[in-house]
Amino acid sequence: EPEVTQTPSHQVTQMGQEVILRCVPISNHLYFYWYRQILGQKVEFLVSFYNNEISEKSEIFDDQFSVERPDGSNFTLKIRSTKLEDSAMYFCASSPAGGMSQPQHFGDGTRLSIL
Amino acid sequence: AQRVTQPEKLLSVFKGAPVELKCNYSYSGSPELFWYVQYSRQRLQLLLRHISRESIKGFTADLNKGETSFHLKKPFAQEEDSAMYYCATSSGGYNKLIFGAGTRLAVHP
């Protein structure tokens, strides 16, 4: 069964540095998402992406964050200048189409640790 | 704003006991409700969704619009059911998921 893959599984970065988290969505999926989960808290929506542009973003997704689909397979989340509070698990997800009743498939996540 | 509430952080039962994981939601339109499960060191997986009205791994969930609930039930828990369970609702359009805080189910032998 096809899966969403995320790399790296664990990223350790100094505060203030840029970090790029990578995701390869399922190949025939059209909608892509990033979520994060701070330790001990709920999974929170960051951004959704369709047709090469952001379709929705949360208030967490400020100017420090950006997403890109640089080629036909990768979907990346960039944090420009990391802060301690960016430490979290970051999950990528994809779905075959938007709208109701289209289940999202999640990757294993990247654990981001900011020192 | 849409919100999902899972009041229990931990539910601990013995093997063979019935299980009910509670989920309440607030949503102004017609909600789409899901249960996701995360086994130890694995990814979030869709367990079931209300529109399918199916039973997966013995689990069922019924949408109760009057009580705004979507509780997850299983009549006889198994040890392999031990996991984190997240209730979620979708927000139409591009299907953003809004998650509850999750309930850890621990099934003891």
Side-chain angles (χ1 to χ4, degrees):
Chain A
E1 187 177 329
E3 291 182 340
V4 175
T5 57
Q6 290 186 244
T7 54
S9 56
H10 191 190
Q11 174 80 45
V12 182
T13 301
Q14 291 286 332
M15 186 172 59
Q17 296 296 304
E18 174 183 287
V19 67
I20 297 176
L21 309 182
R22 301 180 194 280
C23 169
V24 179
I26 294 172
S27 63
N28 63 344
H29 285 190
L30 302 176
Y31 288 82
F32 315 114
Y33 311 83
W34 283 101
Y35 294 83
R36 80 171 184 191
Q37 185 176 30
I38 295 171
L39 187 64
Q41 298 185 25
K42 63 176 65 176
V43 177
E44 302 172 289
F45 168 77
L46 291 178
V47 66
S48 57
F49 191 86
Y50 170 71
N51 200 24
N52 282 320
E53 59 183 27
I54 290 173
S55 47
E56 188 175 0
K57 60 183 181 180
S58 72
E59 56 192 31
I60 301 168
F61 194 87
D62 61 22
D63 292 344
Q64 294 299 311
F65 291 87
S66 62
V67 289
E68 196 177 33
R69 188 155 163 81
D71 53 42
S73 59
N74 289 284
F75 179 52
T76 61
L77 174 69
K78 183 195 292 187
I79 308 175
R80 248 179 289 281
S81 177
T82 50
K83 302 186 279 286
L84 292 175
E85 53 265 37
D86 293 327
S87 295
M89 280 290 289
Y90 287 81
F91 294 104
C92 175
S94 67
S95 69
M100 297 299 209
S101 308
Q102 298 300 329
Q104 293 179 25
H105 299 257
F106 283 79
D108 283 331
T110 293
R111 180 171 299 283
L112 178 62
S113 300
I114 307 300
L115 304 179
Chain B
Q2 296 86 23
R3 194 163 64 183
V4 175
T5 303
Q6 294 179 253
E8 302 139 329
K9 282 192 174 179
L10 172 66
L11 185 62
S12 188
V13 302
F14 287 103
K15 177 182 170 182
V19 166
E20 182 179 66
L21 295 123
K22 292 183 167 48
C23 172
N24 288 90
Y25 65 90
S26 63
Y27 192 87
S28 56
S30 297
E32 183 76 2
L33 275 299
F34 304 86
W35 276 99
Y36 278 82
V37 60
Q38 188 175 34
Y39 299 103
S40 179
R41 298 195 181 123
Q42 294 187 28
R43 65 188 62 204
L44 280 162
Q45 302 172 38
L46 179 67
L47 182 60
L48 51 78
R49 44 185 169 157
H50 91 272
I51 198 167
S52 301
R53 302 184 68 82
E54 58 194 345
S55 173
I56 302 292
K57 299 184 180 183
F59 285 97
T60 58
D62 290 317
L63 180 62
N64 185 323
K65 291 187 178 181
E67 295 182 359
T68 60
S69 68
F70 188 57
H71 303 326
L72 183 68
K73 300 178 185 179
K74 185 168 182 176
F76 308 103
Q78 303 299 314
E79 289 179 65
E80 55 265 31
D81 296 328
S82 297
M84 279 294 292
Y85 291 81
Y86 295 95
C87 183
T89 184
S90 72
S91 178
Y94 295 101
N95 208 28
K96 171 182 75 179
L97 286 170
I98 296 167
F99 285 89
T103 297
R104 179 169 298 282
L105 174 63
V107 182
H108 303 286

